[in-house]
Amino acid sequence: LYWKPGWVATPRDEWVAIQEELVKGEVWIVDGNHGATMDIRLAAADIVIFLDLSRRVCLWRIIKRWLQYRGRPRPDLASGCPEKLDWAFVKWIWEYPTRRPSVLQRLEQHRDGTEIIRLRTPAEIRRFLQ
């Protein structure tokens, strides 16, 4: 929903409105970080599953995804958004641990009334799904 064809980002005010509308639904799942609208989702969520994986795992997975879908859109993206791997995204992944404390703090602020599940390894994810 965020990316429009040609990797054009949804304008902030429109994205906020989309998020506010989505969380009005009785049942919904939202994937992604999108820090600017995180509080909208956290305030409405009853469960948050935070996949807090290592840099190594995240980097491997973006490379693997790029190899799998290189030059064509993934099924979860708008048409006109071919898979790409650029330095800005690699840098964002590499620097994510510096943002993690603020994400954890925001999750903690919503812990009352919201179940927070933090999964740190692929093995923890597999066990959780089983």
Side-chain angles (χ1 to χ4, degrees):
L1 296 174
Y2 182 75
W3 293 110
K4 297 179 184 288
W7 290 105
V8 175
T10 299
R12 189 182 194 311
D13 58 336
E14 186 180 333
W15 185 238
V16 168
I18 289 169
Q19 294 291 297
E20 288 172 340
E21 194 60 34
L22 285 172
V23 300
K24 288 179 185 176
E26 186 175 329
V27 178
W28 49 271
I29 297 172
V30 175
D31 171 34
N33 193 328
H34 300 288
T37 56
M38 185 183 295
D39 289 327
I40 294 169
R41 295 184 306 279
L42 290 175
D46 53 2
I47 299 173
V48 173
I49 300 170
F50 178 37
L51 302 181
D52 191 10
L53 300 169
S54 71
R55 283 179 176 150
R56 182 184 55 79
V57 170
C58 291
L59 288 171
W60 164 244
R61 289 184 175 177
I62 64 170
I63 291 167
K64 183 177 165 184
R65 187 173 71 193
W66 175 73
L67 290 169
Q68 181 178 0
Y69 293 103
R70 185 178 39 211
R72 56 190 168 92
R74 296 190 324 255
D76 60 316
L77 289 174
S79 62
C81 292
E83 186 65 30
K84 63 180 183 172
L85 183 61
D86 58 26
W87 178 246
F89 188 45
V90 171
K91 186 174 184 258
W92 192 91
I93 295 292
W94 186 257
E95 293 176 350
Y96 185 79
T98 65
R99 292 185 293 281
R100 181 183 291 120
S102 66
V103 172
L104 293 172
Q105 182 180 23
R106 288 168 90 174
L107 291 173
E108 191 60 37
Q109 290 169 351
H110 291 275
R111 188 168 288 284
D112 290 342
T114 305
E115 182 180 0
I116 309 293
I117 300 168
R118 184 177 177 193
L119 303 172
R120 295 181 180 108
T121 67
E124 285 183 3
I125 294 169
R126 282 191 298 278
R127 281 193 299 273
F128 174 77
L129 291 173
Q130 289 172 351

